[in-house]
Structure formats: structure tokens, C-alpha cells
Amino acid sequence: METKTLYKISYGMYLVSSKKGDKFNGQIANTVFQVTADPPKVTVCINKENLTHQFIEDSKVFTVSILDENTSMKFIGHFGFKSGREFNKFEGMNYRIGMTGAPLVVQNCLGYLECEVVDSLDVGTHTVFVGKILDAQVIKEGEAMTYAYYHQVKGGRSPKNAPTYIREDREEKQKEEKKMAKYKCVICGYVYDPEKGDPDSGISPGTAFEDLSDDWVCPICGASKDEFKKID
Amino acid sequence: METKTLYKISYGMYLVSSKKGDKFNGQIANTVFQVTADPPKVTVCINKENLTHQFIEDSKVFTVSILDENTSMKFIGHFGFKSGREFNKFEGMNYRIGMTGAPLVVQNCLGYLECEVVDSLDVGTHTVFVGKILDAQVIKEGEAMTYAYYHQVKGGRSPKNAPTYIREDREEKQKEEKKMAKYKCVICGYVYDPEKGDPDSGISPGTAFEDLSDDWVCPICGASKDEFKKID
């Protein structure tokens, strides 16, 4: 089996949120699909180990924010590579409370869906939740971020809980990472190491310095990207 | 509810095939996605009225051919807008017989997956089939066709059995179609009417003459597109 065949499957990039009591959580997901038109229903595939899974199972509601192509890696890292068990991901975020009581993140989003879980299917490591769409609103015009764009243009990675995470690929990429150059901040001396990334700013390990967005700053002194020099 | 929000969900374009006894059938689908990595499984969402649905239910196997971005509208029309109840869609096609006995179409495809149905979920008008991937092979390099590309660049439409078919949108597009110009073949007098399209050549109703590919020819006399004149 050539697992790289699976990379040719197309996906979007979404922020899937839910609630449990008065707590909110959300995560990045690429597996949101409309499954019926009448009535409109979508499915979303969530890893059982994720806190969002627990919240959706508990409240039977979820929301989907459709990410804009221009969404920063920092925003994706915040929701996609960190766990809501450690902190409240919604603090300081621009969101509304929808009709289900679940949060609707509006920043970086082209639109959102509010869904009520009407069925679910256990597929092993993940659950496919079927959501009846209660409301759907466009927030702004623009191109939706695709999974291909996230990987190819933004240099993003798949967290190990993603349905599309493939170990062999990961190992291959880790080999490539060893060849990536380190960069030093000329202001404070901080060294950006692509093998480590900058998790506090949402930059996952394995991100080349060249792939950091232009608004990325030194995590120590706040110097901009052009204050960095390559280390040979 | 603003149903146009749903247009921002990203999909690919696939040919999903199956068998029943010694008969083959296949259809275009946009709802293929990986749901687990270990073991690798995909889901596909198929309308209950489609012959492919009947075949998958019967044989418990299906294959997915991942369409190349350069796939012609004629090929998509052949598999997507016609029914296998009326003729054998595989006649004259370039395909292999996979390990499951189901056909693997290789023309116009970047790769294929062979799947065994391990579970399914009734979602109303459609069924979500869960397929364990038995084999996956890359056929060639290239860009996968996305649903957005099919609609925006190729001018494609959704058949009424698609999960993403939306009536309001269809009506709106039909209004637009009324403004589209007819074109007459100067060789044989055939009139291309965008409201009717050219279903025999895989051109669905509502396709503007301007959106026909350059290799489209007059269905009556075989004259090329530049032999047509606009009718006022």
C-alpha cells in the first residue's frame, strides 16, 4: 500500500467547537463534509482522545467555523496543537454564543455552522458525528483554507491525533527537518531551531524558518523576522 | 440560515466504483475522506437512489479513483450525470480489476484506493460507508481536482443526488442561465442551448457556451467550437 496516495484526498480547514456545562473548547479539524442536502447535515470526524470529543458527546452540539485562507499559523497552532485541558482556548478570542450555547469563533472565519448531533458512528480511534445544521451564516467573502494550502503554502503539519496523520510520512519529514537551518535573533540572541519550532507561538516542531509567517516575532524580545540571521 | 455558507466547505472529486456479481458501476462523488490513520479507513457518502449504492451494499467493496485536475467534463459527465441502469459505464474505459474484484479506473486518475466496507451509517437520503483500505496506489503525479475547481474553473454543476446539491442555488443559477446566449453551428445549423447543455457529450444543462472546453465539438457534425456563431 502506498500511503502517500491518501495525500491526494482534498479537505478544508475548520475550527470545531463545543461546550460542556459553562466550559468551551475547540480544535482544528479537516474532516467536515456535508452528507445530505434535505435537511442539510454535516459530519465531522473527531479523535476520541481530544477534549472536544468529550464536550460534543456531553452537550450533543458543535459549531464549525470555516477558516479563511489567510488564517495565521499562530491561530491554527493555538487551537490545533494545544489541549484545552491545560487552558481556556477561548480567552481573548472573538466569538459569539450561538443558539445552542456553543461558541462561534468569528475571527479568521468566512462563516459558521451550528449543529445538533443527531447520530454518530464509532470508527475506531475516531468518532464520526452527524450534525443537523440549525443555522449557517456567512461572515465575510474570501477563499477558504484548504488542507493542501495549509501544508504546501503555510508549511503546516498534522498533529498525531488527526485522522490523516501518517507515521511514515512524519519520519520522512523529520529527516528533512534535520537539514533545516537555525536562525539567531540579532537583538537578544534567541536561536530559532526548526526541529523545536516555537510551540508557545503556535509554531509546531519541524517548521522551517522560511515558512514562518511575516508577522511572527521573536518569542523572547518581540523582534521581527527580518532581525534574524541564518546560522551556518 | 444562509445555505451559501455551505459552499465554503472544501471537497475533492472522485470516481467511486463497485460491483454486483459480474456487473460494474461507478459514479462521481465529492465526499471521500480519511477517518482513521491506524488502520487507514475512509468514508464515502452515497445517495440511496444511485445504482452504485446498491452495488456497494451488495458486494461490500468499493474503489476510489482520485481525479486529476485536468479530467475532462465529458469524463465527469459520463460517470456523474448518467445512470448505470441504462448502459455499462465501463465499456471502453481504461480500468484494472482490483483485489476485491471491483474495477479501478486509471485514466484521469492520480491514484486509487481499494476498500472493504466495515461499517455504514444511514444519514437519511444518503449512506455513509466506512471502508478499510486494503490497497492504495499512486498512478501519476499531479494536482487533484477539487470541487471548487470543478465549479469555478470547469463550470461544473451538482447533480440533484449530490449531498451538496442545494435547491435555492439551483434556482438562482437557472435564472442566470436564461441570460446565457445560444450559439449556432455554421456547418450543420445545430444550435447549442445553454439551458439544455449537451448531455450526450457530458455537458450538463446550464453550461454556458463560453465554458465548454476547447475540445468540445458539435454533437451533430463534429465541427469545432470556433465554427459556432452567437445568436442574438
Side-chain angles (χ1 to χ4, degrees):
Chain A
M1 186 188 300
E2 289 184 281
T3 49
K4 65 179 180 178
T5 319
L6 296 164
Y7 307 163
K8 297 294 183 187
I9 298 177
S10 302
Y11 304 89
M13 287 282 284
Y14 312 93
L15 170 57
V16 174
S17 306
S18 190
K19 63 161 189 166
K20 186 177 181 180
D22 60 355
K23 285 185 182 153
F24 296 149
N25 198 48
Q27 67 158 74
I28 302 296
N30 61 335
T31 48
V32 172
F33 277 61
Q34 189 177 350
V35 289
T36 61
D38 192 17
K41 284 189 274 189
V42 288
T43 57
V44 57
C45 183
I46 302 288
N47 191 295
K48 290 176 181 175
E49 289 179 8
N50 291 358
L51 188 64
T52 305
H53 187 282
Q54 199 186 104
F55 280 29
I56 296 173
E57 275 205 317
D58 184 84
S59 64
K60 306 286 184 207
V61 296
F62 64 88
T63 66
V64 175
S65 295
I66 301 164
L67 297 185
D68 182 348
E69 191 173 76
N70 298 318
T71 302
S72 71
M73 291 297 278
K74 190 171 177 175
F75 182 89
I76 293 171
H78 179 85
F79 282 103
F81 284 89
K82 295 179 179 182
S83 173
R85 290 185 179 92
E86 288 149 30
F87 72 114
N88 175 10
K89 293 186 186 180
F90 287 82
E91 200 178 307
M93 286 287 157
N94 182 7
Y95 66 94
R96 304 172 188 164
I97 304 295
M99 59 169 72
T100 63
L104 296 158
V105 172
V106 292
Q107 71 192 83
N108 294 313
C109 294
L110 301 183
Y112 61 75
L113 317 174
E114 288 193 75
C115 306
E116 179 193 355
V117 175
V118 290
D119 208 344
S120 66
L121 184 66
D122 184 338
V123 289
T125 51
H126 292 65
T127 300
V128 173
F129 292 103
V130 182
K132 185 180 164 190
I133 303 173
L134 303 178
D135 195 22
Q137 296 297 330
V138 172
I139 295 169
K140 62 177 178 184
E141 285 307 306
E143 289 298 312
M145 182 179 279
T146 64
Y147 199 55
Y149 186 89
Y150 168 66
H151 280 273
Q152 290 161 18
V153 183
K154 306 279 273 187
R157 294 296 156 94
S158 307
K160 69 173 173 44
N161 282 359
T164 42
Y165 175 78
I166 293 168
R167 203 176 297 111
E168 294 86 330
D169 170 54
R170 185 78 190 147
E171 282 163 6
E172 199 174 293
K173 279 188 175 155
Q174 275 170 348
K175 277 182 208 160
E176 284 171 23
E177 282 156 20
K178 285 179 187 158
K179 299 173 204 157
M180 291 181 193
K182 294 177 183 178
Y183 279 75
K184 188 173 183 173
C185 175
V186 296
I187 309 294
C188 73
Y190 164 80
V191 173
Y192 176 80
D193 182 348
E195 278 192 62
K196 294 177 186 163
D198 176 16
D200 289 342
S201 304
I203 307 299
S204 57
T207 306
F209 182 83
E210 291 79 3
D211 291 335
L212 297 172
S213 68
D214 289 335
D215 60 359
W216 179 83
V217 294
C218 174
I220 306 298
C221 70
S224 63
K225 209 181 154 185
D226 54 14
E227 301 282 9
F228 278 71
K229 286 230 158 24
K230 191 174 180 176
I231 304 173
D232 294 315
Chain B
M1 186 189 298
E2 288 184 281
T3 49
K4 65 180 177 175
T5 318
L6 296 164
Y7 306 162
K8 297 294 181 187
I9 298 177
S10 302
Y11 305 89
M13 287 283 281
Y14 312 93
L15 170 57
V16 174
S17 305
S18 189
K19 62 161 189 166
K20 186 177 180 180
D22 60 355
K23 285 185 181 152
F24 297 150
N25 197 46
Q27 67 157 77
I28 303 296
N30 61 336
T31 50
V32 172
F33 60 119
Q34 191 178 350
V35 290
T36 60
D38 192 17
K41 284 189 273 189
V42 289
T43 56
V44 56
C45 183
I46 302 286
N47 192 295
K48 290 177 182 174
E49 289 178 9
N50 291 359
L51 189 63
T52 305
H53 187 282
Q54 200 187 103
F55 279 29
I56 297 174
E57 276 205 317
D58 184 82
S59 64
K60 307 288 185 208
V61 295
F62 63 89
T63 67
V64 176
S65 296
I66 302 164
L67 297 185
D68 182 348
E69 192 173 78
N70 298 318
T71 303
S72 70
M73 291 298 278
K74 189 170 179 178
F75 183 89
I76 294 172
H78 179 85
F79 282 103
F81 285 89
K82 295 179 178 182
S83 173
R85 290 185 181 90
E86 288 149 30
F87 72 114
N88 175 12
K89 293 185 185 180
F90 286 82
E91 200 178 307
M93 286 287 159
N94 182 8
Y95 66 94
R96 303 173 188 163
I97 305 294
M99 59 169 73
T100 63
L104 295 158
V105 173
V106 292
Q107 71 193 83
N108 295 311
C109 294
L110 301 183
Y112 60 74
L113 315 175
E114 288 193 76
C115 307
E116 179 193 354
V117 175
V118 290
D119 209 344
S120 66
L121 184 67
D122 183 339
V123 289
T125 51
H126 292 65
T127 300
V128 174
F129 291 103
V130 182
K132 185 179 164 191
I133 303 173
L134 303 178
D135 194 23
Q137 296 296 331
V138 172
I139 296 169
K140 62 177 179 183
E141 286 306 307
E143 290 297 312
M145 182 179 277
T146 64
Y147 199 54
Y149 186 89
Y150 168 67
H151 280 273
Q152 290 161 17
V153 182
K154 305 279 275 188
R157 295 295 158 92
S158 306
K160 68 175 175 40
N161 281 359
T164 41
Y165 176 78
I166 292 166
R167 201 173 300 110
E168 293 87 329
D169 169 53
R170 186 78 192 148
E171 283 164 5
E172 199 173 293
K173 281 191 174 153
Q174 276 170 346
K175 275 181 209 158
E176 282 171 24
E177 282 155 21
K178 284 179 189 160
K179 296 172 203 156
M180 290 181 196
K182 293 178 185 178
Y183 280 75
K184 188 173 182 173
C185 175
V186 295
I187 309 293
C188 72
Y190 164 80
V191 173
Y192 176 80
D193 182 348
E195 278 190 64
K196 292 176 186 164
D198 176 15
D200 288 344
S201 304
I203 307 298
S204 55
T207 305
F209 182 84
E210 291 77 6
D211 292 336
L212 296 172
S213 68
D214 290 333
D215 60 358
W216 178 83
V217 294
C218 173
I220 305 299
C221 70
S224 63
K225 211 181 152 186
D226 53 14
E227 300 282 9
F228 278 71
K229 287 230 158 25
K230 191 173 179 176
I231 304 174
D232 294 315

